[in-house]
Amino acid sequence: MIPLPGYPEGRDLLRDKVVVVTAAAGTGIGSAVARRSLEEGASVVLSDWHERRLGEQAAELDPVGEVHPISCDVTEETQVQALIDGTVRRFGRIDVLINNAGLGGSRAIVDMTDEEWSRVLDVTLTGTFRMTRAALRRMIEQGGGGAVVNNASVIGWRAQAEQSHYAAAKAGVMALTRSAAVEAAQHGIRVNAVSPSLATHPFLAKVTSEELLAELTEREVSGRAARPWEVANVMVFLASEYASYLTGEVISVSSQHA
């Protein structure tokens, strides 16, 4: 196994930026990118549909930096708009949107219902569209500039049984990223995505079998899964001016070939 890296110190990559993170409550990539954004000097709006976990996460992150929680279900347009409006009321603007909300599950195509298919696509793909649309409108009204970073998945490239709904949604996120980037470029707004292979955290362990996690880990040449903050580091990079010439790209955060 490749030696584990140390947790990096903040370098003010997002100093004075206002960052909105969806699905930021819990132990996964969303909460990790919220923490990393705070450590990099940003003010962060935490969002999640689960109000109790959202409040707990905000309290945990409060000592790190300025954080403001707003509950939001990305499948509800009124709540999406309320999240953007609430951000602007609190901080005056939005500089970065991190689209992390997604929903998975395992089901063979022959057993999958229309409702199961639609629910995964509504949260994972259409939710990303709704948030991106609302954020771009506001960024353009502000005079342009800003960044959108989407959370895709290596499964958008790679076939895996019982994942057709999730794979289709994540492939859609990749395509949305590229098309949105073309439209946003004239306004100085960048749109990129990360494509993690495997990032383990307690919630994932609850909803995924040990056998599948072991199989996926074996595919990683590093001999381990990523930790959520390792994916978050790449998202922070894409949100920062260090990625000023990157737009419409999907960055594989992986120790394997897709």
Side-chain angles (χ1 to χ4, degrees):
M1 180 185 294
I2 298 173
L4 293 174
Y7 191 84
E9 295 181 4
R11 302 292 182 181
D12 280 343
L13 298 186
L14 300 178
R15 183 176 58 190
D16 299 328
K17 300 292 187 183
V18 177
V19 177
V20 175
V21 186
T22 64
T27 59
I29 293 171
S31 60
V33 75
R35 178 178 291 275
R36 290 301 294 145
S37 295
L38 289 168
E39 292 168 344
E40 293 294 348
S43 299
V44 172
V45 174
L46 291 177
S47 179
D48 202 285
W49 69 271
H50 197 293
E51 293 191 22
R52 178 184 58 79
R53 287 203 306 258
L54 180 62
E56 292 172 350
Q57 189 67 45
E60 181 179 327
L61 292 177
D62 185 65
V64 184
E66 187 172 9
V67 58
H68 180 58
I70 301 178
S71 63
C72 177
D73 179 346
V74 298
T75 68
E76 297 291 339
E77 173 59 23
T78 55
Q79 294 189 36
V80 167
Q81 192 57 54
L83 171 56
I84 298 300
D85 291 345
T87 299
V88 174
R89 279 196 301 272
R90 177 62 180 260
F91 295 106
R93 67 186 193 282
I94 174 175
D95 299 304
V96 177
L97 169 65
I98 306 287
N99 277 313
N100 179 65
L103 178 68
S106 296
R107 183 75 71 180
I109 291 175
V110 295
D111 298 322
M112 189 179 299
T113 66
D114 284 6
E115 290 74 17
E116 288 171 323
W117 171 272
S118 297
R119 177 62 177 165
V120 169
L121 265 71
D122 196 16
V123 175
T124 307
L125 176 55
T126 310
T128 298
F129 156 72
R130 291 186 188 100
M131 286 300 311
T132 300
R133 176 176 62 187
L136 289 181
R137 285 172 175 170
R138 181 60 199 179
M139 289 174 178
I140 292 169
E141 289 175 2
Q142 293 171 176
V148 176
V149 182
N150 297 324
N151 192 359
S153 170
V154 72
I155 205 169
W157 288 313
R158 186 187 66 211
Q160 186 172 317
E162 300 186 346
Q163 293 292 310
S164 59
H165 47 358
Y166 188 64
K170 289 300 190 179
V173 169
M174 294 177 182
L176 172 64
T177 297
R178 291 187 288 266
S179 294
V182 173
E183 296 181 21
Q186 63 180 307
H187 303 288
I189 303 167
R190 298 178 296 103
V191 186
N192 292 289
V194 297
S195 180
S197 54
L198 181 63
T200 55
H201 50 86
F203 180 75
L204 179 64
K206 289 182 180 179
V207 299
T208 308
S209 70
E210 293 183 7
E211 293 78 13
L212 179 56
L213 286 176
E215 176 187 340
L216 295 175
T217 301
E218 286 179 1
R219 298 181 184 180
E220 302 292 325
V221 298
S222 61
R224 67 175 179 88
R227 287 170 289 180
W229 62 261
E230 291 178 296
V231 179
N233 285 342
V234 182
M235 300 176 100
V236 166
F237 161 72
L238 290 173
S240 78
E241 297 306 316
Y242 277 87
S244 59
Y245 195 66
L246 272 173
T247 197
E249 296 296 328
V250 179
I251 307 298
S252 178
V253 186
S254 168
S255 67
Q256 61 171 336
H257 294 294

